[in-house]
Amino acid sequence: MYRVLPKFYFQYSIFTFHYLDYFFFATFCLFTSRISPGHPQLTCLEPPSIRQPNTFFPIFVIRIYFIQLLLLPSQMFKAAAGSPFSALDKSSKSKKKDQKQSTLSSFLGSSQKSQSQPFFSLRKVPALRRASSDGAALFGNTHRKRSHEKPTKGTSIQNSIEITDEESHSDKSEDSAIVAALKSQSQSTRNILLTRSFSGFKDGRMSKSQPVNLEEQERKRARLNFKHSKPLVHHLSFREVGRARFPDSGVRLSDSNAIRGEKRVLEHVEGKETEMGSSGTDSDLEITGMVTRSVEGKDPLQREGINTKSTLHKSSSSSNGISGISSTTHKHVHNLHGSSHHGHRHAHTSEMRDGDGHVRVSKYHIPSSKRRPLPWVVSGTLGNPRLRERSTQAVKRESSTGSRGLSSEQSEVLDAVMFGHKNVFFTGSAGTGKSFLLKTMIRRLRMRYGPSAIGVTASTGLAATNIGGTTINRFAGIGLGLESSIRLCNRVRKSRSAADRWKTTKYLVMDEVSMIDATMFTKLNDVAKMVRGIDKPFGGIQLIITGDFFQLPPVSKRSGSRRGKDADGADFCFNCDAWRECIDETFLLTKVYRQSGDLELAEMLDSLRLGRLPPYVRQKFKALERPLRYPDGILPTELYPTRDEVERANRSRLNSLSGESMTFFAKDSYGPEFAPGRGGNGKHPGYLESVLDALMCAKVLELKEGAQVMYIKNDMEDTTIVNGTIGKIVAFTSSDLWSYFCLQFKEYERLAYQPLLTYASRFIGNRQADLDHTLYEELIASNPAALGKVTVLPALIARAKRQQRRDLLPLAKFTVNTSEGYRLKLVEPMDFASESNPNLVRTQLPIILAWALSIHKSQGQTLSRVKVDLTRVFEKGQVYVALSRCTSTSGLEIVNFDERKVAVRKDVVRFYSKLKKNKSRKKEQQEKLARAK
Ligand SMILES: Nc1ncnc2c1ncn2[C@@H]1O[C@H](COP(=O)(O)OP(=O)(O)OP(=O)(O)O)[C@@H](O)[C@H]1O
């Protein structure tokens, strides 16, 4: 009250004074019959031509009253602002301002602290949109005056920004950055503001012919009173990024599809984060800056300042004049706007150069209408914490493994693919990061050429999903590939999608190539040449092939086929002519990552791989035949050579669980070509069944609460739970009840309140079930958090009672890589199509029991606790694959280790010894060259 009353009193006096003023003035006019507008505000409203004394007086008085009424609020405000009591009013504001000033001072550096200039924050900044290539600040001309943005006094502001020292920003950090940017060039910004306000130049360009009277403008500026404020956030949507072209680096983004666009931009950023540093060109730095900045949609300094690690390495000079900001920011700003000494970095023109003038970014156009925030931010103060976390992890990893997160060996392969444009095959023992490197390459290639130019394939479905691809048979459109090359080619030509795939593919990735036989490889080469009509290896497609021939052999061998086997019984593709024709360079990776924490195990596995087991190594393996107990009660994954053993192990574990079991039967569907009488079923009894049985999903799936399961599908929308994610069944519930539960509880609350759902689910199809109070109390005791929202329980139970038992689905708690560590997911049926014939479909829950896995399914996985039963090993390479999944001996338990079952193929040994020799020869030559230099 003590603030408001004096203000009102003062305002009232002003009001009275004005009216007396006008009364005397009007009387004077009446008697003199001459009107001379005495109030400055009337100047523009009252043309001097109106000078008719007889009619003028009443009109004049009415007008004055009317105008006074209109102007009253702003006058009151002004009066209050100028009143001696306004200091009281502003006390809290000034506190804030002081606080802000101190923040800014620290932000701007100590040199700025002593200055007593007011600090400016930016209002109505949507008008500020871009910077010219020569660094002069330009302001957008599309900003329209809004009704609530009226100035109080006779200024005609059409398009303007305001700089004011008032407080009202919500995001202080952002504000600080903006202010700092403006501070560094406040003079020019002020000029622009004032020139725009009072000289009305066009297209937002500062009119150099207009003299700028700073003092006058400063005074007038103080009169402006914009209520509206917006922070300087330039959001660049994926569509806009899609238009950015980076010709010097070859990066071209052209996707305009909403969802895919976002994902791709994300990939670009990730890719750049890993690639930037080691290539060491400013071009990379430039592009990353652009993309990251675009994605983040945050103010420029923050966006660039928080940029990735390689920016840190490259930091050096500063030219933007902003002191106190890390050198990272400086360098980056400099690189983006080499010639600019201004802080605005939204490029409108078609050229932007780095500090050395190397990089040109063309057509970086940002239409204002499309500015909107992206839902995710890669780094910085805003944004998805998961991505931020990932980014931090990337930085950590980089510091230990090199600037791109890759070892020098891995980088060499990457360079051969990206810059050498060679068909490469890279190999190495298990855990040397072949798949890791492949994923990095895929990401970078997709970033450069778009997803459709990269064919991502593997020999098996599981290996393919591991790298986000498909099987080579499916990609090629050749089914099982049993026909001749010409027939297969005709088959491909008939399928438009398959033919298009072959034609649009620039790079073909093949993982786990050890399982592709020579015959298949030759056929693929022929089909590619014929379909593309180019007589070059694979019709000119660049090949990226990886795998380890010491691991599992081609499928043809396993299925008992006698086609094309060599004397040793295997049909490895490295033996065929097509291989020699296609592969330009072969790389051998030697650094093992998987067992990097247990070098002893890494050495043992090396001997095992080559089939050379000296007695001391044999003893070490024998010593691992002991039962392991884990204090946390989490059991190891069991690996068996055969499917029967896997099923048996899982069943016995399931039987040991108490509780009701639920059985889910798969639903199979066949295409019309398999209708009885049209071949298919009739010709091969049991053929369809056997094809579907080869799918990952089970025909009959029995589950219980507490069962350990593995998710076996990749969901495009949900990237936390992927193929291979392990979880536990916590309840059987209906999708209706689950949806209701999800409505009641937010994502982060669901884990804590899940017992309520489990409890309520007992009432599904069991209306007579009694409320078991002891069980309920146990539930609450075990999870006190549930007490808070226990009122939801009756509604859950009432809803559950309306559901049928046939609606029940498993609810699993999956172990995921987020801060919570777990995620609940209701597992719903999905379609599994056969690789050889997509019209053969089995619909089943995408989970399998996962206490035990077959060794074949485990290939490519990294596991921390493994129990391997080697009793029924039937294949060369199987022992090595099984034992090499584990990261350390402390988590490895072996059952029935038999050294006689450890065998390798001679041609594989020859192939690798040749590779090793070549590698050491190459190394010697490089060393000689280095010494000579
Ligand atoms: N450069 C790297 N930096 C950090 N970790 C890496 C790197 N390369 C590989 N790894 C890690 O090593 C482990 C094994 O990698 P990966 O699965 O790619 O090996 P692989 O050679 O494909 O194995 P396999 O032959 O058994 O399929 C993974 O956990 C992976 O994250």
Side-chain angles (χ1 to χ4, degrees):
M1 282 303 276
Y2 73 92
R3 283 185 187 178
V4 176
L5 276 179
K7 197 158 105 181
F8 259 87
Y9 174 77
F10 187 81
Q11 285 162 4
Y12 184 70
S13 318
I14 294 278
F15 180 75
T16 316
F17 171 78
H18 272 287
Y19 276 76
L20 282 175
D21 174 27
Y22 282 116
F23 176 76
F24 286 122
F25 176 69
T27 314
F28 171 77
C29 291
L30 178 71
F31 284 104
T32 57
S33 296
R34 288 194 62 81
I35 304 302
S36 168
H39 198 283
Q41 283 178 14
L42 296 177
T43 313
C44 59
L45 300 166
E46 204 60 46
S49 61
I50 305 175
R51 288 171 188 173
Q52 296 166 11
N54 296 338
T55 53
F56 180 73
F57 180 68
I59 297 168
F60 180 66
V61 171
I62 291 165
R63 277 188 180 183
I64 286 179
Y65 272 79
F66 186 61
I67 290 159
Q68 279 298 314
L69 277 173
L70 281 180
L71 295 176
L72 183 63
S74 59
Q75 283 182 346
M76 283 170 75
F77 181 82
K78 269 179 49 189
S83 79
F85 305 101
S86 60
L88 278 175
D89 259 339
K90 284 194 169 177
S91 61
S92 63
K93 278 188 180 175
S94 61
K95 260 188 209 167
K96 270 191 189 174
K97 185 177 159 188
D98 290 345
Q99 221 176 349
K100 182 173 180 176
Q101 285 199 1
S102 64
T103 319
L104 283 170
S105 303
S106 59
F107 183 72
L108 293 169
S110 53
S111 62
Q112 302 280 339
K113 278 180 190 165
S114 56
Q115 294 183 13
S116 58
Q117 291 175 10
F119 287 90
F120 300 109
S121 64
L122 202 63
R123 304 301 171 90
K124 286 184 65 179
V125 199
L128 172 65
R129 288 194 299 125
R130 58 202 188 202
S132 72
S133 56
D134 64 357
L138 301 178
F139 294 90
N141 60 344
T142 54
H143 181 63
R144 295 280 170 261
K145 186 172 72 174
R146 297 182 195 165
S147 58
H148 58 285
E149 292 167 357
K150 282 177 188 166
T152 49
K153 266 190 173 181
T155 52
S156 56
I157 298 170
Q158 294 291 314
N159 310 313
S160 67
I161 61 160
E162 181 201 11
I163 299 174
T164 170
D165 55 352
E166 281 183 32
E167 277 283 342
S168 74
H169 256 303
S170 54
D171 189 341
K172 297 235 171 180
S173 56
E174 189 172 74
D175 203 343
S176 308
I178 297 161
V179 172
L182 285 173
K183 185 74 185 162
S184 69
Q185 48 162 330
S186 57
Q187 199 66 14
S188 63
T189 310
R190 267 198 267 174
N191 291 351
I192 287 164
L193 164 76
L194 298 169
T195 314
R196 281 175 63 77
S197 300
F198 299 103
S199 62
F201 58 37
K202 285 180 184 172
D203 293 328
R205 282 176 196 280
M206 183 168 62
S207 166
K208 282 179 186 161
S209 59
Q210 291 284 336
V212 177
N213 181 344
L214 282 176
E215 264 182 37
E216 153 94 353
Q217 290 170 358
E218 185 66 38
R219 190 168 54 76
K220 290 191 176 178
R221 185 185 64 78
R223 289 195 206 142
L224 306 181
N225 177 31
F226 294 109
K227 295 287 178 210
H228 174 70
S229 77
K230 260 195 176 181
L232 173 61
V233 181
H234 189 98
H235 293 297
L236 184 61
S237 76
F238 58 91
R239 280 170 203 280
E240 291 152 0
V241 172
R243 288 202 196 95
R245 284 199 288 125
F246 310 102
D248 289 354
S249 71
V251 175
R252 190 193 183 96
L253 319 175
S254 58
D255 201 333
S256 65
N257 175 283
I259 300 160
R260 291 170 76 206
E262 286 179 5
K263 286 190 173 165
R264 281 192 46 209
V265 173
L266 187 58
E267 281 174 3
H268 298 157
V269 176
E270 281 182 350
K272 283 296 168 192
E273 278 182 357
T274 53
E275 89 188 57
M276 261 177 20
S278 71
S279 71
T281 62
D282 277 336
S283 137
D284 272 359
L285 188 66
E286 165 80 359
I287 291 153
T288 308
M290 296 294 293
V291 176
T292 310
R293 179 158 61 91
S294 308
V295 167
E296 284 167 8
K298 197 71 171 70
D299 74 76
L301 286 178
Q302 282 187 344
R303 276 179 272 157
E304 287 151 14
I306 47 155
N307 214 321
T308 51
K309 50 276 170 189
S310 52
T311 317
L312 288 164
H313 301 316
K314 285 164 182 278
S315 301
S316 61
S317 66
S318 164
S319 68
N320 66 349
I322 303 170
S323 58
I325 305 168
S326 74
S327 58
T328 310
T329 312
H330 281 206
K331 174 65 181 170
H332 209 72
V333 169
H334 179 71
N335 272 329
L336 282 168
H337 308 278
S339 59
S340 170
H341 291 270
H342 297 274
H344 305 295
R345 283 171 295 278
H346 297 298
H348 175 66
T349 52
S350 60
E351 285 191 11
M352 287 182 76
R353 285 180 178 277
D354 64 3
D356 305 316
H358 291 318
V359 174
R360 194 160 63 85
V361 178
S362 66
K363 303 250 181 213
Y364 184 61
H365 173 63
I366 306 158
S368 62
S369 60
K370 293 200 172 177
R371 269 183 282 154
R372 63 194 170 88
L374 290 173
W376 37 262
V377 173
V378 172
S379 50
T381 51
L382 280 181
N384 185 337
R386 221 173 60 221
L387 293 176
R388 251 193 347 241
E389 207 172 90
R390 201 193 294 175
S391 160
T392 336
Q393 282 168 2
V395 174
K396 276 185 199 158
R397 195 170 55 228
E398 185 196 352
S399 59
S400 64
T401 57
S403 56
R404 283 189 287 197
L406 299 178
S407 66
S408 56
E409 290 173 334
Q410 289 171 329
S411 292
E412 201 185 338
V413 185
L414 187 76
D415 290 346
V417 171
M418 302 300 295
F419 307 115
H421 300 288
K422 294 201 170 136
N423 290 346
V424 299
F425 165 62
F426 58 96
T427 182
S429 48
T432 45
K434 298 184 290 295
S435 306
F436 182 89
L437 174 59
L438 208 55
K439 284 183 220 166
T440 309
M441 280 180 190
I442 293 166
R443 205 165 52 221
R444 288 195 49 167
L445 289 169
R446 279 183 174 159
M447 184 175 87
R448 186 175 280 191
Y449 300 105
S452 58
I454 322 299
V456 181
T457 70
S459 54
T460 68
L462 201 62
T465 40
N466 191 29
I467 53 166
T470 174
T471 59
I472 183 70
N473 295 54
R474 192 166 192 168
F475 169 87
I478 56 169
L480 289 177
L482 299 176
E483 299 136 78
S484 68
S485 297
I486 293 177
R487 285 194 173 195
L488 288 175
C489 177
N490 287 337
R491 184 176 168 166
V492 172
R493 280 187 181 137
K494 276 182 204 159
S495 158
R496 201 172 155 184
S497 58
D500 281 352
R501 261 198 312 273
W502 275 117
K503 282 176 190 163
T504 55
T505 299
K506 271 178 191 260
Y507 289 83
L508 182 60
V509 172
M510 274 189 238
D511 197 5
E512 302 294 355
V513 75
S514 66
M515 288 195 222
I516 296 175
D517 62 45
T519 321
M520 174 64 83
F521 193 83
T522 310
K523 283 179 183 175
L524 287 169
N525 187 23
D526 293 343
V527 168
K529 282 180 184 176
M530 285 188 268
V531 173
R532 288 170 65 90
I534 301 172
D535 190 21
K536 282 184 181 174
F538 266 77
I541 295 176
Q542 191 178 331
L543 294 174
I544 304 160
I545 299 178
T546 189
D548 177 14
F549 289 107
F550 278 111
Q551 295 187 33
L552 294 167
V555 179
S556 57
K557 166 72 176 92
R558 284 188 282 128
S559 60
S561 161
R562 301 183 65 80
R563 285 173 299 114
K565 289 177 196 168
D566 67 357
D568 217 9
D571 181 22
F572 288 113
C573 56
F574 66 78
N575 281 323
C576 70
D577 291 338
W579 181 271
R580 282 182 281 275
E581 181 197 346
C582 294
I583 303 299
D584 298 325
E585 255 191 89
T586 301
F587 294 89
L588 183 64
L589 303 179
T590 51
K591 184 174 176 182
V592 177
Y593 281 92
R594 189 173 288 141
Q595 289 86 23
S596 56
D598 190 337
L599 295 179
E600 192 186 9
L601 179 61
E603 268 176 37
M604 288 160 67
L605 290 171
D606 242 12
S607 310
L608 185 72
R609 181 169 185 259
L610 300 171
R612 290 186 213 126
L613 284 179
Y616 75 94
V617 176
R618 241 178 280 161
Q619 270 173 9
K620 279 184 182 171
F621 276 119
K622 277 274 175 201
L624 297 176
E625 287 185 324
R626 79 289 187 217
L628 279 179
R629 298 272 171 272
Y630 299 98
D632 58 8
I634 298 174
L635 297 167
T637 305
E638 292 177 24
L639 299 182
Y640 293 94
T642 62
R643 268 172 93 151
D644 293 352
E645 285 172 293
V646 173
E647 269 173 34
R648 220 175 307 129
N650 279 328
R651 186 166 294 279
S652 81
R653 286 281 186 91
L654 191 72
N655 290 343
S656 68
L657 288 179
S658 60
E660 192 187 357
S661 86
M662 299 281 302
T663 309
F664 297 87
F665 295 94
K667 200 175 141 207
D668 295 342
S669 58
Y670 312 106
E673 69 269 34
F674 296 106
R678 290 195 64 192
N681 259 334
K683 266 187 185 169
H684 310 282
Y687 164 74
L688 301 182
E689 196 78 2
S690 64
V691 171
L692 290 169
D693 283 348
L695 295 170
M696 273 290 276
C697 59
K699 187 170 187 194
V700 179
L701 181 65
E702 194 182 335
L703 298 170
K704 276 184 187 174
E705 262 181 40
Q708 186 163 308
V709 292
M710 182 197 267
Y711 202 77
I712 52 168
K713 270 259 179 192
N714 276 332
D715 191 344
M716 296 308 278
E717 289 157 26
D718 185 353
T719 49
T720 51
I721 298 170
V722 292
N723 184 9
T725 308
I726 301 283
K728 234 173 202 165
I729 305 292
V730 291
F732 291 98
T733 189
S734 68
S735 45
D736 180 80
L737 199 62
W738 168 246
S739 308
Y740 182 72
F741 177 79
C742 290
L743 275 179
Q744 300 301 317
F745 300 99
K746 296 194 178 77
E747 174 91 44
Y748 61 87
E749 292 176 319
R750 286 180 203 152
L751 274 172
Y753 295 112
Q754 164 260 311
L756 295 180
L757 180 68
T758 308
Y759 184 69
S761 300
R762 293 180 205 287
F763 292 84
I764 294 179
N766 187 12
R767 284 162 174 266
Q768 310 308 322
D770 288 330
L771 266 178
D772 185 342
H773 285 282
T774 35
L775 187 68
Y776 169 67
E777 274 158 22
E778 267 173 29
L779 241 162
I780 299 298
S782 65
N783 187 12
L787 264 178
K789 287 220 178 169
V790 91
T791 44
V792 176
L793 191 60
L796 276 173
I797 292 173
R799 224 177 166 93
K801 282 184 176 176
R802 293 201 291 273
Q803 315 285 313
Q804 308 284 325
R805 257 186 86 75
R806 63 165 183 266
D807 299 332
L808 287 176
L809 289 170
L811 177 73
K813 182 175 158 186
F814 287 99
T815 309
V816 293
N817 201 11
T818 60
S819 49
E820 288 101 21
Y822 299 100
R823 239 196 93 195
L824 288 174
K825 184 174 177 97
L826 186 75
V827 184
E828 292 176 290
M830 291 177 103
D831 287 348
F832 292 81
S834 154
E835 289 292 341
S836 54
N837 194 322
N839 283 340
L840 289 177
V841 178
R842 173 164 283 178
T843 310
Q844 178 60 288
L845 298 175
I847 48 174
I848 53 171
L849 288 173
W851 286 290
L853 285 177
S854 72
I855 293 174
H856 281 94
K857 276 180 186 159
S858 75
Q859 179 152 345
Q861 300 229 18
T862 301
L863 304 164
S864 54
R865 292 176 188 181
V866 192
K867 182 180 171 185
V868 185
D869 189 336
L870 300 171
T871 318
R872 288 173 66 182
V873 162
F874 62 90
E875 184 63 273
K876 286 175 182 169
Q878 232 174 0
V879 176
Y880 175 62
V881 169
L883 300 183
S884 61
R885 298 307 98 198
C886 197
T887 49
S888 69
T889 46
S890 60
L892 179 59
E893 181 183 342
I894 303 177
V895 178
N896 283 332
F897 180 81
D898 185 351
E899 64 270 20
R900 283 168 302 173
K901 288 184 178 168
V902 179
V904 287
R905 290 192 176 80
K906 284 176 197 150
D907 56 343
V908 175
V909 176
R910 275 198 300 273
F911 179 74
Y912 276 89
S913 55
K914 217 166 148 185
L915 278 186
K916 226 174 175 178
K917 265 184 211 158
N918 284 348
K919 185 168 177 156
S920 47
R921 207 178 302 142
K922 205 170 154 187
K923 208 174 171 187
E924 272 171 27
Q925 279 174 356
Q926 279 173 349
E927 279 171 2
K928 261 187 200 169
L929 257 173
R931 259 182 266 131
K933 273 184 186 171

